[in-house]
Amino acid sequence: MARGGGRLRAALLGLLVSCWAALALDVSVGKATTIFHQNGTDVLLPCTFTACIGFENAEFTWWFNATKLYSGMVRSKNVRPVCKLCNPRVQLPEVPLHKDSREYNLSIVLLSVDFSDSGKYTCAVKNPKEKGAEHNATIALAVVVELEKVDKTLTKIIAAVVGGVIGLLVLGLLLKKLVLFGLKKRKEKNNECLVSSSGNDHTENGLPASKADQKAAPKA
């Protein structure tokens, strides 16, 4: 039983260590899986990594398909990367360093792309604090003649229709209020007429007037 319990504890410990190591450093190239970019222009290839346990002298490499494109080293989070394998077509963007953030920016700018630059770009990072374990993320670049212009005609039509419907609803509510107001005023006027007519009948043609006439008649 003791040996069985020891093996179970060792297995659980190994599983926890594996999970912790997998979560210790994370590399991301953003949510987009493919970047479409115009021929002859510069393109930013995004990459960030986070290290929960911190890092020191972390090595990073950018791969284009199976070819090493650029590599460097990040000594600490408070300094900018140092180039090890430089490339005249690759630049590091000027990005702010956040001392309180665990995220470090390893994005690169690929200058004057052409159609031959279309392919997969992988950002890989090794952290010595993780015994050289490598983490990576891949993004695709598609170089096109011209970026497609978004046709906003349908959007404008939809917006116009929605605006028209809202306008009609508001107009309908206003008309309803006006009709109800008119009916209310008409009802009040009819009530006033009924009250006035009822008073005239009692004083001129009704019983009280007849009694008054009888009292005023002279005795023979």
Side-chain angles (χ1 to χ4, degrees):
M1 291 295 293
R3 291 182 180 179
R7 291 177 181 175
L8 180 60
R9 284 194 296 271
L12 290 174
L13 181 61
L15 180 61
L16 289 174
V17 170
S18 299
C19 294
W20 173 78
L23 296 174
L25 187 144
D26 180 59
V27 179
S28 173
V29 290
K31 295 181 179 180
T33 57
T34 302
I35 296 177
F36 294 91
H37 211 74
Q38 187 174 354
N39 180 40
T41 59
D42 302 340
V43 60
L44 175 70
L45 300 175
C47 177
T48 58
F49 80 90
T50 54
C52 295
I53 61 173
F55 67 92
E56 186 177 352
N57 296 330
E59 297 181 357
F60 70 97
T61 304
W62 271 96
W63 295 85
F64 171 53
N65 295 330
T67 304
K68 186 179 291 188
L69 180 68
Y70 186 92
S71 67
M73 176 181 292
V74 184
R75 299 192 185 282
S76 68
K77 67 177 182 179
N78 298 325
V79 297
R80 297 193 178 280
V82 177
C83 174
K84 294 178 66 178
L85 176 64
C86 301
N87 188 322
R89 294 190 58 214
V90 175
Q91 290 183 354
L92 296 176
E94 292 293 328
V95 293
L97 297 176
H98 304 286
K99 294 183 179 181
D100 296 333
S101 176
R102 293 179 179 179
E103 185 175 276
Y104 198 92
N105 198 321
L106 293 177
S107 303
I108 60 173
V109 177
L110 187 59
L111 304 177
S112 187
V113 296
D114 57 31
F115 301 109
S116 62
D117 292 318
S118 297
K120 293 183 178 180
Y121 290 80
T122 301
C123 178
V125 183
K126 288 183 179 180
N127 186 8
K129 288 191 174 183
E130 294 184 17
K131 297 181 180 181
E134 182 177 283
H135 303 263
N136 60 70
T138 300
I139 192 169
L141 173 65
V143 180
V144 296
V145 176
E146 186 178 0
L147 294 176
E148 293 183 0
K149 295 181 180 179
V150 178
D151 188 1
K152 296 183 180 180
T153 303
L154 181 59
T155 303
K156 291 180 180 179
I157 293 174
I158 294 174
V161 171
V162 172
V165 171
I166 293 175
L168 289 174
L169 290 175
V170 173
L171 181 60
L173 290 174
L174 290 175
L175 289 175
K176 182 179 179 181
K177 287 186 177 181
L178 289 174
V179 170
L180 291 176
F181 181 76
L183 291 174
K184 181 179 179 182
K185 287 296 183 181
R186 185 175 179 181
K187 184 177 181 180
E188 291 177 353
K189 187 175 181 180
N190 290 336
N191 290 337
E192 290 176 358
C193 291
L194 289 174
V195 171
S196 176
S197 176
S198 176
N200 291 334
D201 290 344
H202 282 84
T203 55
E204 295 181 1
N205 303 321
L207 183 61
S210 298
K211 289 182 178 180
D213 292 341
Q214 291 175 2
K215 290 180 179 180
K219 296 181 179 180

